[in-house]
């Protein structure tokens, strides 16, 4: 960070020695198309599994949402009672869709930035198959009555060791790709992915140990539970989505990130603060006050990385807004990045006890969760898949219309979801804090807001189908157009 | 007395300390390795000969050829 070396370094005749893009010789640096090819089978596998879970999760989510304003909906099926189907939704979206997306995008970006091909892709597939089978057995367990009572960890304990093991195999690939890197600089996306690859097994094993395998006493379990649940988002999904945004936005615009200094600051401040934030789920709960305070401080500390990312991305995109509409990837990623700013600032606000007193135990929290996990994370992953798949397969997306349908139905659906439940949830919170209002009145008051969620769910599902159809089409269809420019250009180089 | 429960708690604590130590090490390494210097060059490390700086590289399939002509910013 020393300014002295900043001034001295560029004076050396680097450009002559190393060309424009780093000091390694051209032979030593692996071509991107070779890296893409090495990731092809695994990447496509993870994306397909992710799309499957996305559709399954949409179905579960829709059933759960309908039941909240229409309790007789599918009431004859015991497997689809609210408690089960809601958890099935959460787990298929989190461990099915989101994790598969992270595996595909995270490993691919890591390999690309490390300029090193993915080695032994076959083993990666085996780990991927194991992971997805374990999730399948886990979701089946949830639907048929084996689920645990711990939110975000409902998958029965007879499957979780397999989940842990298969993750370990996949995570090792990320570390290996980094270890064998041919690149000189560690780009900020690599930092984020490397962090995530280490953080996820940590929080997962600790949560499993302290809650199931050697249960801690009393409220320590609750603390561990929310420390874990929040960190899945904060230290696993968020870093990978930010890595994708930091990679794709400058990459597609052909314009370096506005301030690399800010991006590094953002990473380290996220690493410092996010781990503390989870306790804010227990504000007002029977846990030590110092811990709640630490959670509030951690949550407010998150304002730093969030503002840093927002400023950095905005200033990078500034002047190129037209390009956002020309690029299927960018419109998703920018939507996601904007949602990140909003969702995180809202999250910091919600951690303030005075605000929390209203929002806690209401649908406001649900809106916030989807704001982060869907409008931010999932939208960025959609955009990344739109960028990655043509390069892996050397094919262009067959249908631009489907991409547009996907974007608009998901963008509008997510907006309806978040706005509807935030407004409804806030009013719900105010009413619940007023002892003069009977509870049934609040329940009835919420019905229209809950219906807006089902409507949003329909829109999101339409988008997911468009996404899945496009994936099936690009895989099975003939070569529709010439491959991406970058790849053809490579042959000449 | 080392029972199974205690062993696991110790494992959890060791894991936490190890992770914290590795984070400190990573920051230390990054600083020593020059990762926290020369930011302009780092920011450009994502570009390659195949996907170079100054070129917009993602467009909708149908509009592709139309945009390609005007893609040089």
């Amino acid at each position: 960070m020393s300014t002295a070396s900043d001034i001295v370094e560029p004076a050396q005749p680097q450009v002559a020695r190393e060309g424009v893009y780093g000091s390694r010789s051209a032979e030593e640096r692996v071509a991107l198309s070779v890296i893409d090819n090495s990731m092809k089978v695994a990447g496509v596998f993870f994306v397909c599994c992710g799309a499957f879970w996305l559709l399954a999760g949409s179905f579960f989510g829709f059933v759960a949402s309908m039941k909240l304003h229409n309790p007789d909906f599918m009431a004859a099926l015991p497997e689809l009672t609210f408690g089960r189907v809601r958890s099935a939704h959460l787990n298929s979206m989190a461990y099915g869709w989101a994790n598969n997306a992270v595996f595909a995008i995270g490993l691919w970006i890591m390999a690309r930035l490390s300029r090193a091909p993915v080695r032994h892709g076959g083993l990666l597939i085996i780990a991927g198959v194991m992971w997805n089978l374990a999730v399948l057995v886990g979701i089946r367990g949830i639907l048929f009555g084996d689920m645990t009572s711990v939110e975000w960890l409902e998958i029965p304990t007879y499957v979780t060791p397999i989940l842990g093991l298969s993750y370990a195999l996949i995570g090792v690939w990320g570390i290996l790709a980094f270890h064998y890197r041919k690149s000189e600089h560690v780009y900020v996306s690599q930092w984020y992915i490397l962090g995530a690859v280490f953080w996820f097994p940590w929080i997962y094993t600790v949560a499993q140990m302290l809650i199931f395998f050697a249960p801690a006493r009393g409220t320590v379990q609750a603390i561990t539970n929310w420390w874990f649940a929040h960190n899945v988002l904060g230290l696993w999904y968020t870093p990978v989505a930010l890595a994708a945004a930091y990679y794709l936005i400058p990459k597609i615009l052909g314009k370096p990130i506005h301030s690399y200094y800010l991006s590094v600051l953002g990473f380290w401040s996220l690493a410092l603060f996010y781990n503390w934030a989870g306790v804010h789920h227990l504000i007002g709960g029977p846990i030590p006050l110092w811990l709640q305070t630490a959670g509030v401080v951690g949550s407010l500390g998150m304002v730093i990385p969030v503002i840093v990312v927002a400023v950095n991305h905005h200033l990078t995109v500034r002047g190129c807004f037209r390009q956002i509409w020309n690029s299927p990837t960018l419109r998703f990623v920018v939507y996601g990045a904007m949602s990140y700013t909003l969702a995180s600032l809202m999250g910091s606000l919600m951690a303030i006890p005075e605000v929390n007193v209203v929002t806690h135990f209401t649908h406001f929290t649900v809106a916030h969760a989807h704001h982060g996990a869907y409008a931010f994370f999932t939208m960025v992953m959609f955009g990344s898949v739109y960028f990655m798949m043509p390069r892996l397969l050397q094919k262009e997306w067959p249908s631009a219309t489907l991409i547009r349908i996907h974007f608009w139905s998901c963008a509008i659906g997510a907006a309806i979801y978040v706005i509807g439940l935030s407004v409804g949830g806030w009013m719900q919170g105010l009413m619940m804090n007023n002892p003069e209002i009977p509870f049934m009145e609040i329940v009835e008051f919420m019905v229209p807001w809950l219906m807006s969620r089902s409507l949003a769910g329909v829109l999101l599902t339409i988008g997911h189908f468009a996404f899945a159809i496009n994936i099936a089409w690009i895989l099975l269809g003939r070569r529709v157009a010439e491959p991406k420019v970058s790849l053809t250009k490579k042959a000449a180089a | 007395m080392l029972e199974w429960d205690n062993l696991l708690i110790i494992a959890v604590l060791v894991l936490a300390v190890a992770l914290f130590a590795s984070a400190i090490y990573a920051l230390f390494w990054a600083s020593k390795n020059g990762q926290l210097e020369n930011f302009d060059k780092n920011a450009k490390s994502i570009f390659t000969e195949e996907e170079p700086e100054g070129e917009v590289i993602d467009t909708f399939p149908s509009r592709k050829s139309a945009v390609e002509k005007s893609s040089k910013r």
Side-chain angles (χ1 to χ4, degrees):
Chain A
M1 232 171 276
S2 65
T3 45
S5 56
D6 257 347
I7 299 160
V8 178
E9 285 282 319
Q12 293 164 5
Q14 282 173 343
V15 179
R17 185 167 57 86
E18 57 190 43
V20 197
Y21 302 113
S23 61
R24 309 269 178 168
S25 66
E27 304 85 66
E28 204 180 342
R29 262 179 295 127
V30 184
L32 288 186
S33 45
V34 174
I35 297 166
D36 291 349
N37 197 41
S38 74
M39 187 66 199
K40 182 174 168 182
V41 182
V44 169
F45 173 78
F46 286 129
V47 168
C48 290
C49 291
F52 166 77
W53 286 115
L54 189 66
L55 293 179
S58 308
F59 169 73
F60 294 138
F62 180 73
V63 174
S65 177
M66 283 296 285
K67 279 170 184 279
L68 278 181
H69 55 76
N70 200 352
D72 293 336
F73 184 71
M74 289 199 184
L77 292 167
E79 288 79 19
L80 294 180
T81 45
F82 180 79
R84 294 181 184 186
V85 83
R86 181 218 178 263
S87 299
H89 163 68
L90 191 157
N91 283 276
S92 45
M93 284 309 195
Y95 301 107
W97 151 248
N99 269 31
N100 274 304
V102 164
F103 294 153
I105 304 299
L107 286 179
W108 175 70
I109 291 181
M110 185 53 125
R112 267 188 150 218
L113 282 172
S114 302
R115 306 301 300 268
V118 175
R119 290 147 196 250
H120 305 290
L123 282 174
L124 194 54
I125 291 284
I126 294 174
V129 170
M130 262 169 71
W131 174 274
N132 281 288
L133 281 179
V135 174
L136 191 68
V137 175
I139 303 284
R140 191 216 154 269
I142 289 173
L143 290 177
F144 288 84
D146 286 347
M147 69 182 257
T148 74
S149 59
V150 183
E151 196 173 353
W152 281 89
L153 292 164
E154 291 99 336
I155 289 184
T157 45
Y158 53 72
V159 204
T160 46
I162 305 173
L163 277 180
L165 184 67
S166 44
Y167 168 77
L169 284 170
I170 296 167
V172 162
W173 253 254
I175 297 167
L176 283 181
F178 181 76
H179 180 75
Y180 289 114
R181 70 188 181 280
K182 295 277 193 288
S183 58
E184 194 177 1
H185 298 291
V186 182
Y187 187 65
V188 64
S189 299
Q190 285 169 294
W191 280 114
Y192 274 118
I193 296 170
L194 202 62
V197 157
F198 277 105
W199 288 324
F200 181 68
W202 173 50
I203 58 176
Y204 195 71
T205 47
V206 168
Q208 289 288 337
M209 280 184 197
L210 287 184
I211 297 177
F212 299 114
F213 293 97
R217 288 196 192 91
T219 53
V220 176
Q221 283 193 25
I223 297 168
T224 313
N225 181 12
W226 285 109
W227 169 79
F228 168 78
H230 203 84
N231 281 343
V232 174
L233 274 158
L235 293 181
W236 174 235
Y237 300 145
T238 300
V240 175
L242 286 181
Y246 267 119
Y247 181 64
L248 292 174
I249 292 177
K251 183 98 173 159
I252 291 174
L253 292 175
K255 190 179 168 188
I257 193 80
H258 175 75
S259 163
Y260 192 78
Y261 172 78
L262 280 183
S263 65
V264 174
L265 177 72
F267 170 77
W268 286 103
S269 49
L270 179 133
L272 180 65
F273 289 122
Y274 225 142
N275 179 38
W276 292 90
V279 206
H280 65 211
H281 285 268
L282 296 168
I283 291 174
I287 63 165
L289 195 59
W290 69 266
L291 198 58
Q292 299 180 28
T293 312
V296 174
V297 172
S299 307
L300 289 171
M302 277 306 293
V303 169
I304 298 171
V306 169
I307 294 289
V308 159
V309 168
V311 167
N312 217 354
H313 286 173
H314 179 78
L315 291 179
T316 306
V317 174
R318 193 177 58 174
C320 306
F321 282 103
R322 213 172 56 86
Q323 292 300 343
I324 294 172
W325 298 111
N326 289 336
S327 157
T329 303
L330 269 193
R331 59 167 73 183
F332 279 99
V333 172
V334 169
Y335 184 100
M338 284 161 65
S339 302
Y340 174 66
T341 312
L342 276 176
S344 304
L345 291 180
M346 292 272 269
S348 295
L349 276 180
M350 286 163 73
I352 298 172
E354 284 76 13
V355 181
N356 194 271
V357 122
V358 179
T359 61
H360 210 150
F361 300 124
T362 69
H363 286 283
F364 197 93
T365 310
V366 183
H368 175 67
H370 286 76
H371 203 180
Y374 196 95
F376 161 50
F377 170 80
T378 295
M379 290 299 263
V380 172
M381 286 299 120
F382 285 150
S384 312
V385 170
Y386 279 125
F387 189 79
M388 178 181 77
M389 290 286 274
R391 283 160 179 79
L392 294 189
L393 296 166
Q394 302 260 19
K395 276 186 199 176
E396 185 52 278
W397 287 102
S399 169
T401 313
L402 281 175
I403 301 178
R404 288 199 183 90
I405 292 175
H406 181 194
F407 176 76
W408 284 111
S409 56
C410 285
I412 296 171
I416 293 178
Y417 192 114
V418 173
I419 294 171
L421 284 194
S422 292
V423 175
W426 183 263
M427 290 157 90
Q428 181 194 13
L430 290 178
M431 288 166 89
M432 288 205 300
N433 285 350
N434 182 352
E436 286 169 12
I437 300 177
F439 191 72
M440 266 320 282
E441 204 172 292
I442 307 175
V443 173
E444 280 165 19
F445 168 81
M446 280 310 287
V447 169
W449 301 104
L450 295 174
M451 283 176 171
S452 81
R453 183 206 348 230
S454 293
L455 171 71
V458 171
L459 283 172
L460 299 180
T461 310
I462 292 172
H464 300 163
F465 269 105
F467 181 56
I469 292 169
N470 230 352
I471 289 175
W473 197 350
I474 194 178
L475 284 174
L476 305 174
R478 289 184 302 114
R479 217 167 273 273
V480 194
E482 77 275 29
K484 287 284 178 187
V485 196
S486 54
L487 294 165
T488 47
K489 194 176 285 173
K490 188 250 141 200
Chain B
M1 186 172 61
L2 278 182
E3 286 168 14
W4 172 238
D5 285 17
N6 294 346
L7 271 177
L8 276 178
I9 301 293
I10 291 168
V12 165
L13 288 175
V14 168
L15 207 61
V17 171
L19 207 92
F20 189 68
S22 65
I24 300 285
Y25 172 76
L27 187 57
F28 184 70
W29 174 85
S31 166
K32 217 178 79 175
N33 197 251
Q35 298 291 338
L36 304 178
E37 296 162 8
N38 209 349
F39 289 123
D40 281 348
K41 196 160 161 247
N42 284 4
K44 289 181 181 176
S45 65
I46 57 169
F47 299 111
T48 66
E49 292 84 350
E50 296 151 273
E51 294 176 349
E53 191 185 345
E55 208 169 287
V56 177
I57 56 164
D58 190 55
T59 51
F60 269 97
S62 55
R63 282 201 223 153
K64 196 178 169 81
S65 49
V67 180
E68 224 168 75
K69 283 166 198 150
S70 61
S71 70
K72 295 271 191 288
R73 276 190 308 108

